[in-house]
Amino acid sequence: MLDAIKDIGEMVIKNENRDILFVLIEDVNANGKYNNCVTIILKKDGESVRYLSTELEEYTKNKILKYLYKPGSANGPDISPTAKITEPKKTFDRKILGWFKVLDDKYLKSYLSSEEIKFLENVRKCLMENETSIVGQIEEFRKEIARKENLFITLKFKEDDGEKYIGDFDVFRKLFKEKIDKKDLQIFAEDHYCSICKEKKPVVIGNLDTYAFYTIDKPGFITGGFKEENAWKNFPVCLDCKLALEEGKKYLENYLKFNFAGLRYHLIPKFLFGSDQTTKDVIETLTNSAKVNMLRKSEKTIYLASEDEILGYLKDAKDNLILNFLFIKQEMAAERILLLIEDVFPSRIKEIFNAKKAVDDLFKGDEQFTFWTIRTFFTKSDKNKRDYDLDKYFLDVTDRIFKDRPLDNNFVFKFLMREISRAFVYDEFFDAIVRRGLMFVYFLEQLDLIKMEEEKMEERIFDKFFEQYGKTFEKPEKRALFLLGALTELLLRKQYSEKGTQPFMKSLKGLRLDEEDFVGLLPKVQNKLEEYDSFDKGKKLLAQEASYYLLKAGRGWKMSVDEMNFYFASGMNLVEEITKIIYGGKKQEEVLE
């Protein structure tokens, strides 16, 4: 994965001839929440500096290099005197005045001329003398701007030839670079191999912080007897690869971040072979939504995640490209990897799309199959919970689908029936959820990711109906449960049409029936239908077929309770498909007579 990110970063640096500072800086408004900038305006006249005012201006993207922003430690200064404002006084003291401690650092001070030192000393003195006024004005701006709008702060200088920001001064740019180098070289080794480019380099560092999920402040990340100075052995990275990784990560954040059924992921393409121009063309297409739209305009497709179109384009790419999907969750200042799906070929994406098309062709209707269909069953273990605590299960299913790794039947039907049973008990979208469950199972069956046993059976009246679902119903007990579910649903509808209630629902135990329950359910349903004088020729045929398959199945079904109830619920859901077969074109009212 890091190789691929490094390759993207190298391509961007090379093609756009990036200034090294542009690679190192970060966009202070990358998340779109810092649209207001507090500028401390100073008058510069040679080496002398005096305070003019503190003003509010709008963030401008073309000033990113001028702001020269990069965060430092949480309780210390940032890499430059540009910072995000939390509490006005604390931010000013720690992040702005605190930055000028560079003047007390012999290592950093050695890179400065006497004129530069004098200039910075004058700036610090001016800020300290006017602290009360500056902090007071920041607090006023904080009151004026809505709380949901964040502020950041920087310095701006007025000279005879115009206005300048810190990024316009060599002294700030120089110190910015040296502070980063100093941090990088806290843990290093000379003349060793880089773990990313595999080349021997004059210097490799051991404290790469491009991604916050790698750290050396915990023993588990340190090799060499838990000695921090030996951490470079664990993950040695040369400075060239570090720069490329920084730019590659930034590029992913800006252009290759997408939604997938409510989760954010970075799409990381890696090219196995081909020219640099091919790589550039594909990357440009991936990051240009207008081009993707143009490529897809002839197709009216609902995509796998239904939130972005990129997978629809990638399914037609050649297999000289492999795809990595990095699901990351931001937690405060750290990043937590939820899942990394590596080495997925476009041909596999195409297989998944073909399976999706098969599902959509079978389940014709307004709702098409996407990964949101699967997500229905992997959100919360308890609907009253605030957070989605089943993300890890959804991502495991996603990983198995993309990597062609089978799922366990018991696992699948457990999660399907959790939602189906809840919908049944509380009468909430039962039909829609059962339908999604059927779509999910058929999708897995199309990809051969779920085990579906088959048993040869003689020809019967409902064969054509069952055959359209592939292997899903190729066992007599599954067909028996399905038909029994359809017959039970007809009884419930009859009760509702006569009484406005469905007392027989109590016999279904919230869809937690076991094998003994199902075997005893058929005569109960028949008796109730006879009581309502509704056991007509069509329902008798349905009962006969259910009875036939129950006898054919024998006893000791190799199915979990969840799987049994899923097939039963499926019959309830698709009852109208069955009534079309046994009643022809009769209307619902006639079926319930």
Side-chain angles (χ1 to χ4, degrees):
M1 178 195 78
L2 291 178
D3 285 347
I5 297 173
K6 188 255 313 182
D7 290 345
I8 292 171
E10 286 180 341
M11 182 201 71
V12 173
I13 293 171
K14 177 182 176 183
N15 291 337
E16 300 185 12
N17 196 24
R18 284 281 170 88
D19 184 315
I20 189 171
L21 279 177
F22 206 91
V23 177
L24 296 173
I25 61 173
E26 294 185 18
D27 183 357
V28 69
N29 192 35
N31 62 7
K33 296 179 180 179
Y34 287 84
N35 292 302
N36 298 286
C37 175
V38 174
T39 56
I40 301 172
I41 301 175
L42 306 172
K43 175 66 176 176
K44 182 179 182 297
D45 187 7
E47 291 180 355
S48 69
V49 177
R50 62 187 173 88
Y51 172 69
L52 294 179
S53 62
T54 300
E55 298 179 4
L56 193 66
E57 66 178 44
E58 189 176 348
Y59 157 89
T60 307
K61 195 171 183 66
N62 61 16
K63 291 181 181 175
I64 290 175
L65 195 55
K66 290 177 178 287
Y67 298 139
L68 206 65
Y69 173 74
K70 190 177 183 69
S73 63
N75 296 317
D78 290 336
I79 307 301
S80 79
T82 294
K84 294 178 178 179
I85 296 174
T86 52
E87 299 174 33
K89 180 168 175 52
K90 186 182 291 186
T91 300
F92 183 78
D93 287 345
R94 290 184 182 178
K95 300 293 186 179
I96 304 302
L97 287 180
W99 181 86
F100 287 88
K101 290 180 180 178
V102 295
L103 294 169
D104 306 322
D105 187 319
K106 291 181 180 180
Y107 170 84
L108 293 173
K109 199 171 180 179
S110 67
Y111 286 90
L112 303 178
S113 67
S114 59
E115 291 80 7
E116 289 171 333
I117 292 171
K118 184 65 175 174
F119 167 62
L120 293 180
E121 286 176 343
N122 288 340
V123 173
R124 175 164 64 175
K125 181 181 177 183
C126 180
L127 293 172
M128 291 174 67
E129 290 174 348
N130 293 279
E131 177 176 0
T132 302
S133 176
I134 294 169
V135 172
Q137 188 60 62
I138 298 171
E139 289 172 342
E140 287 299 315
F141 290 143
R142 181 64 280 172
K143 292 175 185 177
E144 293 172 11
I145 302 296
R147 275 290 165 187
K148 63 181 179 180
E149 289 288 331
N150 294 314
L151 302 171
F152 70 98
I153 187 170
T154 192
L155 306 180
K156 185 162 74 171
F157 297 84
K158 287 197 174 184
E159 296 184 308
D160 293 338
D161 57 350
E163 296 180 340
K164 290 183 180 179
Y165 292 80
I166 58 175
D168 295 316
F169 289 88
D170 287 340
V171 62
F172 289 110
R173 293 163 67 99
K174 186 192 303 181
L175 286 171
F176 185 91
K177 174 73 167 57
E178 295 306 327
K179 286 189 77 173
I180 291 175
D181 285 348
K182 182 184 180 185
K183 182 181 177 184
D184 288 342
L185 295 174
Q186 285 176 345
I187 300 169
F188 74 98
E190 297 178 332
D191 295 322
H192 283 281
Y193 286 90
C194 171
S195 60
I196 297 178
C197 67
K198 309 297 189 294
E199 296 179 11
K200 193 172 186 179
K201 293 296 182 74
V203 173
V204 292
I205 61 173
N207 56 338
L208 180 75
D209 60 355
T210 304
Y211 281 101
F213 48 75
Y214 173 74
T215 177
I216 59 170
D217 63 359
K218 295 179 178 63
F221 284 94
I222 300 176
T223 189
F226 302 120
K227 294 180 180 179
E228 189 175 279
E229 62 268 23
N230 290 328
W232 66 269
K233 296 179 182 179
N234 199 57
F235 188 26
V237 177
C238 70
L239 295 175
D240 291 332
C241 284
K242 179 186 184 296
L243 278 177
L245 281 170
E246 293 273 2
E247 187 60 27
K249 180 189 177 184
K250 212 178 296 181
Y251 197 82
L252 294 178
E253 288 281 351
N254 291 333
Y255 301 108
L256 292 173
K257 184 163 65 175
F258 302 101
N259 279 318
F260 188 89
L263 296 170
R264 303 291 284 178
Y265 74 94
H266 291 166
L267 176 64
I268 309 170
K270 183 171 179 61
F271 297 86
L272 301 178
F273 50 86
S275 67
D276 290 343
Q277 185 60 43
T278 301
T279 303
K280 181 181 176 183
D281 290 345
V282 173
I283 291 289
E284 184 182 349
T285 301
L286 291 178
T287 56
N288 188 327
S289 59
K291 285 192 176 184
V292 174
N293 284 332
M294 183 176 67
L295 288 165
R296 311 302 304 162
K297 66 180 180 180
S298 61
E299 297 182 25
K300 293 182 179 179
T301 308
I302 295 179
Y303 294 86
L304 291 181
S306 73
E307 293 177 55
D308 63 73
E309 301 178 324
I310 205 69
L311 294 178
Y313 164 68
L314 289 171
K315 73 180 177 66
D316 296 320
K318 295 179 180 178
D319 276 352
N320 66 335
L321 168 71
I322 58 174
L323 306 166
N324 302 292
F325 300 83
L326 179 64
F327 291 85
I328 290 183
K329 184 176 182 179
Q330 194 77 27
E331 294 183 339
M332 303 298 287
E335 295 154 320
R336 180 163 65 91
I337 290 184
L338 298 178
L339 176 69
L340 172 62
I341 304 177
E342 291 188 286
D343 302 335
V344 179
F345 285 96
S347 55
R348 179 59 182 173
I349 303 291
K350 191 162 192 173
E351 289 173 359
I352 294 170
F353 264 88
N354 289 339
K356 166 196 158 47
K357 185 178 185 303
V359 175
D360 292 339
D361 289 344
L362 179 59
F363 294 87
K364 293 179 175 66
D366 295 334
E367 183 178 5
Q368 294 190 34
F369 180 85
T370 72
F371 271 76
W372 273 110
T373 310
I374 301 172
R375 187 76 157 132
T376 301
F377 306 98
F378 300 94
T379 54
K380 301 177 182 179
S381 58
D382 184 331
K383 292 300 176 185
N384 294 319
K385 287 192 174 183
R386 185 182 66 177
D387 299 324
Y388 285 10
D389 62 334
L390 299 182
D391 283 350
K392 63 180 180 179
Y393 296 106
F394 171 71
L395 288 170
D396 180 60
V397 170
T398 300
D399 180 59
R400 289 174 178 275
I401 291 169
F402 276 83
K403 298 304 293 288
D404 193 16
R405 296 190 296 121
L407 285 98
D408 179 71
N409 286 42
N410 291 337
F411 170 84
V412 172
F413 290 110
K414 172 186 175 181
F415 281 93
L416 291 182
M417 285 311 301
R418 182 199 297 269
E419 287 301 310
I420 291 171
S421 295
R422 186 195 59 78
F424 179 76
V425 170
Y426 294 102
D427 193 22
E428 294 178 353
F429 311 109
F430 175 71
D431 288 345
I433 291 175
V434 173
R435 180 183 175 85
R436 289 174 192 171
L438 277 165
M439 294 170 83
F440 180 28
V441 170
Y442 186 63
F443 175 76
L444 294 177
E445 191 269 317
Q446 288 293 298
L447 291 170
D448 201 23
L449 293 177
I450 192 170
K451 187 177 181 182
M452 291 291 183
E453 295 182 1
E454 298 177 80
E455 185 174 323
K456 193 169 183 179
M457 293 173 278
E458 64 181 63
E459 291 186 12
R460 307 290 295 187
I461 185 173
F462 295 112
D463 282 356
K464 286 187 178 179
F465 169 80
F466 287 124
E467 285 168 5
Q468 65 184 330
Y469 290 91
K471 300 177 183 178
T472 307
F473 294 102
E474 290 305 301
K475 289 281 286 181
E477 50 266 47
K478 294 179 181 180
R479 293 188 177 188
L481 290 166
F482 181 91
L483 297 175
L484 180 54
L487 187 64
T488 304
E489 177 63 20
L490 290 175
L491 169 60
L492 293 173
R493 292 185 180 186
K494 179 64 178 177
Q495 286 187 328
Y496 190 80
S497 68
E498 296 241 338
K499 298 183 174 183
T501 60
Q502 297 173 317
F504 196 76
M505 289 237 333
K506 294 178 182 177
S507 301
L508 303 184
K509 297 182 177 180
L511 294 184
R512 299 301 301 166
L513 301 159
D514 60 20
E515 183 179 334
E516 290 292 330
D517 294 324
F518 283 120
V519 171
L521 189 64
L522 180 58
K524 292 180 182 178
V525 174
Q526 289 181 188
N527 289 336
K528 281 293 177 183
L529 285 169
E530 287 174 347
E531 288 180 16
Y532 284 96
D533 197 23
S534 185
F535 198 48
D536 56 29
K537 184 178 179 181
K539 296 183 187 69
K540 285 179 181 177
L541 176 60
L542 184 54
Q544 287 169 5
E545 289 300 301
S547 180
Y548 165 79
Y549 285 118
L550 281 172
L551 291 170
K552 178 77 174 172
R555 300 303 298 272
W557 304 340
K558 295 178 181 179
M559 300 169 70
S560 67
V561 168
D562 288 318
E563 189 172 0
M564 293 178 202
N565 283 272
F566 173 76
Y567 285 103
F568 180 78
S570 299
M572 297 177 72
N573 179 256
L574 294 177
V575 63
E576 291 176 10
E577 298 296 315
I578 297 300
T579 58
K580 286 177 186 176
I581 298 171
I582 58 178
Y583 289 105
K586 280 190 176 183
K587 296 180 180 179
Q588 179 73 10
E589 305 83 57
E590 297 176 282
V591 172
L592 296 178
E593 288 180 357

